[in-house]
Amino acid sequence: MTKKLKEIIKNARKIAFFGGAGVSTESGIPDFRGSGGLYTKGEVFGVSPETVLSNRYLREHPDRFFEYYKTRMLYPKAKPNGAHIALAELERQGKMSAVITQNVDGLHQLAGSKRVIELHGSSLKNYCTGCGKHYSVEYILRSEGIPRCEVCGKMIRPDVVLYGEGLSGRAFADAERAISDSDVLIVGGTSLTVQPAASLVSAFDGEHFIIINGSETPYDRYAELVIREPIARTLSAAVEV
């Protein structure tokens, strides 16, 4: 499988990569629905993790939201793994047109990728809900309880898409365009069950569709290659440096 993937990548003109939480698990960041994922650990504060990570919960229980968010969603010491590094290398080689990610950890950029489309925003970016002043993730982690703006005192929130909020129309359109313009689409580390992000796959009309994921996805039957191996190891072996 890896040998065939390596050949496809070698002959590719324009690759689009669409990834999810599984891309960062080998960097020590847990995924959501996999074995040991955040959503498999049971309720938090008497409700589901999905409820805690919602816009409504942030508004109604900001203290609990940030207690969970700071300890379960932020991993400032995480480093890029072989998958992030391989994708950045493909961009340097002129083959990667865009990395489209559902992750909010910023590891693709840290690895060197320049064109990263963040469908769900970034935990590295935060802003005051009052005056709009921007704050770093370090500021959020240092803050006691609910992070407050130094200028106006209003709550600071992460610039991420929470449950109950819509994706950025611009990001979605950019992702759709990148996928439709590519001759190779590699999907990795995502269950392809979260909509509307998963529907982006339907925009692909190129030659080679590859899925690298530990479990089945609803789109496996459409893929030329389905690889169940760890994504960091797979991409590291398939990309010539």
Side-chain angles (χ1 to χ4, degrees):
M1 287 287 191
T2 302
K3 184 178 180 181
K4 186 172 183 181
L5 174 61
K6 186 173 184 177
E7 188 67 20
I8 290 171
I9 289 174
K10 181 180 179 180
N11 295 319
R13 298 184 304 277
K14 189 178 290 187
I15 303 170
F17 178 83
F18 176 38
V23 176
S24 294
T25 54
E26 292 172 82
S27 294
I29 300 177
D31 62 9
F32 297 96
R33 295 170 179 82
S35 176
L38 291 179
Y39 295 171
T40 66
K41 296 183 181 298
E43 293 186 341
V44 185
F45 309 124
V47 297
S48 68
E50 294 98 319
T51 298
V52 177
L53 295 173
S54 69
N55 176 280
R56 180 174 180 177
Y57 201 88
L58 172 61
R59 288 185 283 107
E60 296 180 352
H61 306 284
D63 52 341
R64 292 180 179 179
F65 172 91
F66 280 105
E67 180 181 340
Y68 183 82
Y69 180 78
K70 291 178 190 179
T71 57
R72 302 292 182 89
M73 295 296 293
L74 298 179
Y75 294 84
K77 295 182 180 179
K79 301 297 182 184
N81 61 49
H84 301 104
I85 293 167
L87 294 169
E89 174 61 27
L90 286 175
E91 185 179 286
R92 282 191 288 271
Q93 294 177 9
K95 289 180 175 289
M96 179 64 64
S97 62
V99 169
I100 302 149
T101 181
Q102 299 173 84
N103 296 340
V104 298
D105 52 44
L107 292 182
H108 286 295
Q109 291 93 328
L110 192 58
S113 290
K114 303 299 182 185
R115 192 180 181 207
V116 181
I117 302 171
E118 296 174 311
L119 294 176
H120 294 154
S122 173
S123 64
L124 305 185
K125 301 173 184 177
N126 305 272
Y127 63 92
C128 172
T129 55
C131 66
K133 179 178 169 63
H134 292 277
Y135 288 88
S136 67
V137 66
E138 289 77 19
Y139 185 91
I140 301 297
L141 287 167
R142 288 196 307 266
S143 64
E144 293 289 336
I146 303 168
R148 297 286 180 183
C149 179
E150 296 174 323
V151 177
C152 69
K154 295 291 186 179
M155 182 180 73
I156 300 166
R157 63 155 287 172
D159 193 6
V160 300
V161 178
L162 301 174
Y163 285 97
E165 297 177 332
L167 299 184
S168 160
R170 179 176 179 179
F172 193 88
D174 286 347
E176 197 170 42
R177 189 177 306 110
I179 288 174
S180 66
D181 288 346
S182 63
D183 63 308
V184 176
L185 172 62
I186 302 174
V187 173
T190 174
S191 61
L192 291 175
T193 57
V194 178
Q195 298 293 350
S199 68
L200 284 168
V201 173
S202 63
F204 181 66
D205 192 32
E207 297 176 35
H208 304 287
F209 176 31
I210 298 117
I211 294 177
I212 309 169
N213 197 53
S215 58
E216 292 182 12
T217 82
Y219 293 85
D220 284 1
R221 63 185 182 274
Y222 303 113
E224 176 181 353
L225 278 180
V226 177
I227 301 174
R228 295 278 182 249
E229 299 297 321
I231 188 168
R233 185 171 67 197
T234 300
L235 287 179
S236 294
V239 175
E240 295 182 357
V241 178

